[in-house]
């Protein structure tokens, strides 16, 4: 059985796979010498015992080392669903395209970062670099974790493939970071443009109180006010388990025409929309506009009526009509057992794996960090979301951002795309330093 298949056999939708226990150490200056000391067992070839007669059998064909990908994401705690989506996406790609690239087997080393936990992320990355000698770091749902690992990627010259974390600045923190997912400014600017064009004049913003929320709030306000709208007030809520009731009362009292929201994908979107409905804001005529994180596909079923009519902008909807998306959804259902709908994080995993495979192919299986980064620049993919490319200047993704409305279809609620903004680069990068 191949390494990847072996791995998959222990993966279940209920938990992450177990990391391999030992491999080659490396003399990196990462302050983790102990991790290096643990290693050096699995890649050693068996040597004949001293004095033994040489074997008459022809030398076995040289064993080609696998390509190792360290996948860091949350598989427990409040963001566990996101990690499972990303891993499902990666495995869906391998199921469709095979687990061998340029003659080398892909081996996933899956690590549970447990939530917003920069220190855990850092020590997992150190272990993957020093002990496991991975070729790629990948995953990264949450911005604080990605930011903590970026300096290690630089030091070790390991490509770091961001499959979700969406704060603009992440790609500027290391020349070894490449992002295939999206940024909050990239989806918030088109929503502000759409809102202003569609007669919305006053907006209250509510975002999670951490870097992606600040990015979403800042870009929405900038674009909306430049287009003649007014942000009447802004509030930030705790990243984990916020109680939305008091914030919703404040929005009700302020009587804006619309409320703009960003909260991380998962149960928070449902909690917000249900509280919004229960307190009668929709009846009062206040429209909800949001980034697509709020009405993400896995959670839509739990939202029920409260989500109907919500307008969002994002890079992926399960309702996207294309042969690539149909094939992706089938593969995702096959590898995960078909119980959950794939969301944009799963597409991030799928495309991140596709990008890695393309880079390995381009390099003929002979990897090094700098050549791999050069190969990521300008890469183009026909993703389940549509055509995407990696901007060679910023190493960030360029893509179509869709405007969608939640609608009931015979088989459930969907984000139905009805407008689009093509070729969107991340507008949120800090200006280049002088
Ligand atoms: C992030 O932390 O960058 C993040 C997490 C969840 C999202 C979007 C961004 O839905």
């Amino acid at each position: 059985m191949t390494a990847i298949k072996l791995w998959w056999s222990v993966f279940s939708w209920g938990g992450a796979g177990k990391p391999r226990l030992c491999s080659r150490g490396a003399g990196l200056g990462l302050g983790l010498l102990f991790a290096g000391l643990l290693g050096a067992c699995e890649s050693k070839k068996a040597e004949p015992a001293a004095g033994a007669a040489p074997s008459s059998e022809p030398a076995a064909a040289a064993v080609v080392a696998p390509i190792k990908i360290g996948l860091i994401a949350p598989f427990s705690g409040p963001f566990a669903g996101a990690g499972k989506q990303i891993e499902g996406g990666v495995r869906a790609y391998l199921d469709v395209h095979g687990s061998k690239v340029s003659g080398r087997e892909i081996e996933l080393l899956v690590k549970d970062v447990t939530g917003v936990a920069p220190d855990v992320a850092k020590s997992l990355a150190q272990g993957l670099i020093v002990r496991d000698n991975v070729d790629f770091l990948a995953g990264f749902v949450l911005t604080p974790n990605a930011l903590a690992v970026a300096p290690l990627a630089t030091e070790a010259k390991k490509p770091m493939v961001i499959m979700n974390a969406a704060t603009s600045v992440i790609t500027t923190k290391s020349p070894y970071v490449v992002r295939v997912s999206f940024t909050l400014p990239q989806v918030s600017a088109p929503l502000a443009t759409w809102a202003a064009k569609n007669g919305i004049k006053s907006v209250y913003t509510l975002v999670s109180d951490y870097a992606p929320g600040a990015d979403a709030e800042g870009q929405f306000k900038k674009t909306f006010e430049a287009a003649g709208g007014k942000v009447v007030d802004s509030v930030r809520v705790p990243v984990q388990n916020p109680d939305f009731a008091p914030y919703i009362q404040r929005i009700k009292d302020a009587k804006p025409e619309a409320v703009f929201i960003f909260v991380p994908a998962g149960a928070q979107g449902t909690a917000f929309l249900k509280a919004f409905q229960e307190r009668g804001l929709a009846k009062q005529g206040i429209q909800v506009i949001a980034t697509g994180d709020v009405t993400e596909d896995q959670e839509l079923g739990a939202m029920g009526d409260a989500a109907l009519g919500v307008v969002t902008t994002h890079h992926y909807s399960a309702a996207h009509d294309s042969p690539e998306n149909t094939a992706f959804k089938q593969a995702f259902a096959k590898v995960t057992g078909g119980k959950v709908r794939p969301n944009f994080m799963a597409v991030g995993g799928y495309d991140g794996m596709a990008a890695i495979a393309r880079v390995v192919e381009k390099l003929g299986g002979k990897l090094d960090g700098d050549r791999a980064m050069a190969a990521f620049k300008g890469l183009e993919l026909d993703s389940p979301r549509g055509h995407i490319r990696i901007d060679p200047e910023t190493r960030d993704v360029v893509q179509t951002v869709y405007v969608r409305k939640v609608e009931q279809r015979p088989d459930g609620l969907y984000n139905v795309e009805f407008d689009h903004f093509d070729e969107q680069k991340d507008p949120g990068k800090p200006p280049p330093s002088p």
Side-chain angles (χ1 to χ4, degrees), residues 45-313:
K45 279 205 211 131
E47 308 273 359
S55 163
S56 57
E57 283 177 30
V63 177
V64 181
I67 288 161
K68 292 186 182 178
I69 303 174
L71 192 72
I72 299 178
F75 294 94
S76 57
F79 300 104
K84 291 169 193 168
Q85 285 276 344
I86 285 196
E87 184 176 2
V90 170
R91 295 196 187 277
Y93 181 88
L94 294 170
D95 189 70
V96 172
H97 298 88
S99 60
K100 228 177 194 177
V101 186
S102 290
R104 295 182 66 184
E105 200 67 40
I106 302 283
E107 183 183 344
L108 293 181
L109 286 79
V110 180
K111 303 285 181 178
D112 179 10
V113 72
T114 71
V116 179
D119 289 344
V120 178
K122 217 165 144 180
S123 88
L124 290 175
Q126 282 171 328
L128 286 165
I129 293 168
V130 178
R131 187 187 60 218
D132 299 309
N133 193 26
V134 292
D135 300 291
F136 296 90
L137 294 166
F140 304 103
V141 168
L142 296 155
T143 290
N145 300 343
L147 291 176
V149 172
L152 303 186
T154 306
E155 193 181 349
K157 297 183 187 286
K158 296 288 180 193
M160 176 172 166
V161 182
I162 306 287
M163 294 172 165
N164 180 65
T167 303
S168 186
V169 82
I170 293 171
T171 46
T172 70
K173 295 297 181 190
S174 167
Y176 292 89
V177 170
V178 56
R179 175 160 41 201
V180 298
S181 51
F182 76 113
T183 76
L184 264 317
Q186 191 177 43
V187 297
S188 301
L191 184 58
T193 304
W194 179 87
K197 272 201 188 135
N198 284 273
I200 295 174
K201 292 189 180 60
S202 63
V203 171
Y204 199 116
T205 69
L206 179 147
V207 299
S208 277
D209 191 10
Y210 76 135
D215 261 15
E217 178 193 280
Q219 187 67 51
F220 183 87
K221 185 175 165 75
K222 190 173 166 190
T223 308
F224 189 58
E225 298 204 327
K230 175 102 193 92
V231 170
V232 292
D233 212 342
S234 295
V235 71
R236 296 187 186 179
V237 304
V239 183
Q240 306 208 53
N241 306 317
D243 171 10
F244 288 112
Y247 304 108
I248 285 179
Q249 189 56 47
R250 275 153 67 180
I251 296 169
K252 191 171 183 181
D253 295 343
K255 300 191 178 63
E257 288 176 15
V259 54
F260 165 75
I261 318 171
F262 161 75
V263 291
Q268 287 190 33
T270 305
F272 177 88
L273 290 173
K274 290 208 160 178
F276 191 88
Q277 187 185 43
E278 275 156 23
R279 279 162 196 265
L281 278 80
K283 285 213 183 85
Q284 191 180 312
I286 301 175
Q287 188 176 346
V288 179
I289 57 176
T291 68
D293 310 80
V294 175
T295 60
E296 54 103 347
D297 281 289
Q298 182 176 346
E299 193 65 22
L300 258 184
M303 293 180 184
D305 284 1
L308 277 175
V310 172
V311 171
T312 59
T313 41

Side-chain angles (χ1 to χ4, degrees), residues 190 387 398-402 419-425:
H387 185 262
V398 183
Q399 59 190 331
T400 298
V401 172
Y402 303 90
D419 203 350
H420 55 95
F421 290 72
D422 290 335
E423 278 288 302
Q424 296 296 295
K425 288 189 172 189

